[in-house]
């Protein structure tokens, strides 16, 4: 995540990242990285905290992707999510949730 | 004997007033008094103080809600919030030795709350419970309705969130209200059982550059609100505009209140000293579940004075009015006056015996007037009330435009213009 940001963002590294992002393929269904995250209890709480607009957008993208996958189709190339446009919207909320959980565990230890 | 002195201070230029009273107690009690009561709500954010009152334990910029709760519990401290129409009071109790550790929570709660949307929406059930409990109580209902009927603005705002705003108070409302009202110029930091130096140091962290919004003065209008509900009793509260807190006229009204009676001083006694009780016993043979007590409320720029009656009979209200009219016509003896003054002084001094009462008195005085009057000064000013002052106060009640709020079985209850 953000803590693993590379010390030096060279053009080679960025090129590799872009290639990997496209190879993953979820962008062909119009999804963002945070739409694909596995929903454990922390993630569920973070999703609960999303502002209404962001949550609705997420639901829309998921619905569209499910529909496409059922029809065994993908979006036309101009509608694929681009690497530059991908917003890690869930990350701040998820970090906060994990931080809170860790705080609780610290207290429980003593 | 140990002399405890109240000391006042103001950390440079922030406008915050700091008052401490070193009473050598093993327990410290610190209060933050803010001019952020329900009177400062506007038409757009009615009910915001109710939410703020419930939101005091939520996450702040410096400490999460979890940490505030567990941090306080770990040292046996407690943080509570009370709000009135004029003030919001955050009070923290802790053992004297733990003072340094827990003040950060108080500072965080009063200067840097985070107002997270999901934490606020989790508050909704608590708002509904508060309102349901208030609806069950006719006393609360009648008081709220009295203020709503008596004033055009400010003091007419209810302490509880109105129905149409439940669930509609947003983060923006809270942040705006907070920015406008929680400025250091509108706060007082009061401590009992703390050293003045330590408290001044805490006060330095309250520095804020906002000046806050100006608040309108309360305008009395006099009106009537009646709420039909089931039950055999009528709760009626009849009041006129009284005097602002701290004025000589307010003292006269308080003495008049004691003269008329504020409830039995002896448990299960027959309340001989209460003029209201005695007058009403003569007027009606029906048992009146009374509380026929005189009611007095004072605020910084206005006040209310009147009688509060709980009864089944409809003639009771007129009988109560007759008693006040009697005083207005000068029919009070010197004995009555001395007795009322002594009762008032005793009540005042006894309220200062508990640390809650003392903290509240200290805080409200410092916040309203910037200084603290010692109990001796207050009792002297009570003693200087003459019978003509009291007669004048009673006349004011009889002649001025009255407000009435009633609650209960209202079939036979007279309207305010029929009294």
């Amino acid at each position: 995540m953000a803590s693993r940001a590379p010390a030096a963002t060279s053009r080679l590294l960025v090129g590799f990242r872009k290639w990997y992002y496209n190879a993953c393929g979820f962008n062909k269904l119009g999804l963002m990285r945070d739409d694909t995250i596995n929903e454990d209890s922390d993630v569920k709480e973070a999703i609960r905290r999303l502002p209404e607009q962001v949550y609705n957008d997420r639901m829309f993208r998921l619905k569209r992707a499910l529909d496409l996958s059922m029809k065994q189709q993908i979006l036309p190339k101009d509608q694929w999510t681009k690497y530059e446009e991908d917003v890690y919207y869930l990350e701040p909320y998820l970090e906060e949730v994990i931080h809170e959980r860790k705080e609780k565990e610290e207290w429980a230890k003593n | 004997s140990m002399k405890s002195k109240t000391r006042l201070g103001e950390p440079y230029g922030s406008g915050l007033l700091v008052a401490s009273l070193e009473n050598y107690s093993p327990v410290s009690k610190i209060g933050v008094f803010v001019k952020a009561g329900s009177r400062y709500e506007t038409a757009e954010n009615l009910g915001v103080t109710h939410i703020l009152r419930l939101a005091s334990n939520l996450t702040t910029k410096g400490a999460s809600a979890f940490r505030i709760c567990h941090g306080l519990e770990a040292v046996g401290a407690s943080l509570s919030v009370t709000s009135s129409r004029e003030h919001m009071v955050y009070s923290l109790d802790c053992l004297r030795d733990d003072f340094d550790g827990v003040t950060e929570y108080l500072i965080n709660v009063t200067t840097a709350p985070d107002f997270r949307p999901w934490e606020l929406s989790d508050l909704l059930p608590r708002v509904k419970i508060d309102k349901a409990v208030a609806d069950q109580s006719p006393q609360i209902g009648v008081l709220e309705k009295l203020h709503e009927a008596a004033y055009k603005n400010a003091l007419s705002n209810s302490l509880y969130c109105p129905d149409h705003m439940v669930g509609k108070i947003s983060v923006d409302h809270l942040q705006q209200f907070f920015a406008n009202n929680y400025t250091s110029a509108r706060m007082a930091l009061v401590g009992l059982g703390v050293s003045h130096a330590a408290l001044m140091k805490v006060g330095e962290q309250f520095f804020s550059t906002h000046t806050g919004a100006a608040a309108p003065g309360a305008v009395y209008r006099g009106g009537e609100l009646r709420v039909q509900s089931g039950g055999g009793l009528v709760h009626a509260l009849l009041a006129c505009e009284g005097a602002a807190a701290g004025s000589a006229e307010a003292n006269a009204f308080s003495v008049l209140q004691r003269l008329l009676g504020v409830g039995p001083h002896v448990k299960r006694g027959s309340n001989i000293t209460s003029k209201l009780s005695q007058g009403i016993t003569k007027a009606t043979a029906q048992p009146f579940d009374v509380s026929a007590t005189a009611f007095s409320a004072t605020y910084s720029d206005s006040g209310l004075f009147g009688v509060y009656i709980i009864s089944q009979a409809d003639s009771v209200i007129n009988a109560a009015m007759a008693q006040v009219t009697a005083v207005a016509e000068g029919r009070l003896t010197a004995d009555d006056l001395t007795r009322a003054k002594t009762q008032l002084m005793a009540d005042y001094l006894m309220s200062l015996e508990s640390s809650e009462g003392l903290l509240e008195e200290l805080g409200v005085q410092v916040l309203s007037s910037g200084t603290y009057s010692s109990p001796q000064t207050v009792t002297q000013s009570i003693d200087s009330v003459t019978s003509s002052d009291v007669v004048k106060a009673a006349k004011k009640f009889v002649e001025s435009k009255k407000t009435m709020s009633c609650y209960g079985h209202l079939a036979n209850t007279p309207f305010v213009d029929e009294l």
Side-chain angles (χ1 to χ4, degrees):
Chain A
M1 320 290 177
S3 51
R4 282 196 266 125
T9 317
S10 66
R11 281 195 18 212
L12 259 167
L13 212 48
V14 169
F16 175 74
R17 285 166 161 257
K18 273 195 181 170
W19 172 83
Y20 184 77
Y21 184 80
N22 286 308
C24 282
F26 57 75
N27 64 335
K28 300 191 178 98
L29 292 171
L31 291 169
M32 294 191 178
R33 188 203 69 173
D34 282 346
D35 296 336
T36 62
I37 198 167
N38 180 37
E39 277 191 34
D40 65 6
S41 54
D42 286 338
V43 174
K44 285 205 173 84
E45 173 64 23
I47 290 169
R48 188 183 80 95
R49 295 181 181 191
L50 286 174
E52 196 178 338
Q53 189 55 31
V54 180
Y55 179 78
N56 290 342
D57 287 344
R58 173 192 162 91
M59 282 300 125
F60 167 74
R61 285 192 299 273
L62 287 173
K63 247 191 178 172
R64 181 178 61 183
L66 284 167
D67 177 72
L68 285 168
S69 130
M70 169 195 66
K71 292 184 288 195
Q72 300 286 358
Q73 286 175 1
I74 54 172
L75 289 173
K77 189 140 188 235
D78 54 324
Q79 289 180 29
W80 294 0
T81 319
K82 297 194 184 44
Y83 176 76
E84 296 82 12
E85 289 171 355
D86 195 326
V87 177
Y88 299 159
Y89 60 84
L90 196 62
E91 215 173 297
Y93 298 95
L94 188 56
E95 268 181 24
E96 183 71 42
V97 170
I98 294 174
H99 177 77
E100 285 177 16
R101 177 170 55 85
K102 290 220 160 84
E103 194 183 22
K104 287 198 173 84
E105 287 165 6
E106 272 299 315
W107 271 94
K109 261 196 237 165
N110 306 337
Chain B
S1 67
M2 283 198 273
K3 248 195 149 183
S4 44
K5 222 177 74 140
T6 319
R7 296 178 58 185
L8 287 171
E10 190 185 320
Y12 20 85
S14 63
L16 172 81
L17 282 164
V18 177
S20 72
L21 175 57
E22 178 61 278
N23 56 7
Y24 303 102
S25 153
V27 171
S28 294
K29 206 176 173 71
I30 309 118
V32 175
F33 289 73
V34 191
K35 280 187 186 160
S38 63
R39 71 176 291 167
Y40 299 105
E41 288 175 1
T42 65
E44 285 80 32
N45 63 15
L46 288 175
V48 70
T49 49
H50 189 179
I51 309 290
L52 270 171
R53 191 161 74 227
L54 294 172
S56 61
N57 68 326
L58 299 183
T59 305
T60 63
K61 293 191 175 66
S64 68
F66 177 83
R67 185 156 150 245
I68 293 175
C69 179
H70 280 67
L72 288 171
E73 284 183 1
V75 293
S78 77
L79 171 66
S80 69
V81 193
T82 350
S83 76
S84 70
R85 296 195 136 77
E86 295 210 295
H87 307 296
M88 192 82 93
V89 183
Y90 296 81
S91 84
L92 180 64
D93 298 332
C94 62
L95 289 176
R96 184 184 279 265
D97 300 329
D98 298 322
F99 174 72
D100 294 319
V102 296
T103 45
E104 65 154 311
Y105 300 125
L106 186 61
I107 293 168
N108 269 308
V109 167
T110 47
T111 58
D114 237 355
F115 298 135
R116 292 177 172 189
W118 55 91
E119 288 185 341
L120 288 170
S121 47
D122 288 344
L123 274 183
L124 207 51
R126 288 171 68 187
V127 174
K128 294 188 177 154
I129 291 175
D130 267 1
K131 280 173 65 75
V133 168
D135 281 341
Q136 296 284 357
S137 161
Q139 284 89 343
I140 295 180
V142 111
L143 259 177
E144 295 293 302
K145 290 272 175 280
L146 181 77
H147 285 86
E148 197 183 320
Y151 290 99
K152 286 186 183 175
N153 62 350
L155 290 171
S156 66
N157 293 337
S158 170
L159 290 171
Y160 296 91
C161 187
D163 287 334
H164 71 276
M165 290 301 284
V166 172
K168 302 241 175 40
I169 299 282
S170 69
V171 172
D172 287 329
H173 286 134
L174 285 157
Q175 278 173 341
Q176 226 182 16
F177 186 83
F178 195 84
N180 286 336
N181 293 289
Y182 281 65
T183 63
S184 48
R186 296 162 68 103
M187 289 195 201
L189 177 63
V190 181
L192 295 177
V194 294
S195 80
H196 194 70
L199 201 61
M200 287 287 277
K201 237 174 140 236
V202 171
E204 284 163 21
Q205 311 202 33
F206 278 85
F207 189 85
S208 89
T209 45
H210 300 276
T211 45
V219 179
Y220 179 83
R221 65 174 172 100
E224 185 172 10
L225 274 171
R226 301 160 74 92
V227 179
Q228 287 276 10
S229 71
L233 291 176
V234 177
H235 289 249
L237 187 45
L238 178 64
C240 72
E241 190 176 19
S247 63
E249 211 192 339
N251 280 333
F253 272 111
S254 293
V255 173
L256 177 59
Q257 186 194 13
R258 291 302 190 289
L259 194 67
L260 293 168
V262 290
H265 288 266
V266 176
K267 281 194 175 71
R268 291 175 274 283
S270 56
N271 212 357
I272 297 185
T273 59
S274 161
K275 280 189 181 290
L276 283 175
S277 273
Q278 296 309 306
I280 291 168
T281 353
K282 293 196 190 89
T284 169
Q286 272 186 359
F288 55 100
D289 218 3
V290 189
S291 231
T293 54
F295 161 81
S296 167
T298 47
Y299 303 103
S300 55
D301 57 355
S302 179
L304 290 170
F305 175 81
V307 288
Y308 179 29
I309 296 151
I310 310 175
S311 73
Q312 297 113 317
D314 45 334
S315 52
V316 171
I317 300 179
N318 280 312
M321 272 294 296
Q323 284 299 312
V324 190
T325 321
V327 176
E329 289 165 3
R331 277 182 274 151
L332 74 111
T333 68
D335 270 349
D336 286 338
L337 184 65
T338 340
R339 183 174 50 226
K341 286 204 279 197
T342 323
Q343 281 176 356
L344 180 58
M345 284 194 269
D347 278 349
Y348 177 75
L349 290 170
M350 280 194 236
S351 78
L352 296 179
E353 287 285 304
S354 80
S355 57
E356 287 89 20
L358 184 52
L359 186 79
E360 189 186 327
E361 179 65 18
L362 196 49
V364 170
Q365 273 200 33
V366 165
L367 194 56
S368 318
S369 63
T371 57
Y372 176 62
S373 318
S374 68
Q376 286 91 328
T377 324
V378 176
T379 44
Q380 263 169 7
S381 64
I382 294 174
D383 214 13
S384 63
V385 170
T386 63
S387 66
S388 62
D389 292 331
V390 175
V391 167
K392 223 172 71 174
K395 269 211 183 82
K396 187 172 178 191
F397 177 72
V398 172
E399 289 163 9
S400 62
K401 182 149 196 256
K402 288 189 252 310
T403 312
M404 181 150 111
S405 72
C406 354
Y407 194 102
H409 184 64
L410 302 177
N412 299 321
T413 314
F415 286 80
V416 73
D417 50 358
E418 294 168 2
L419 287 169

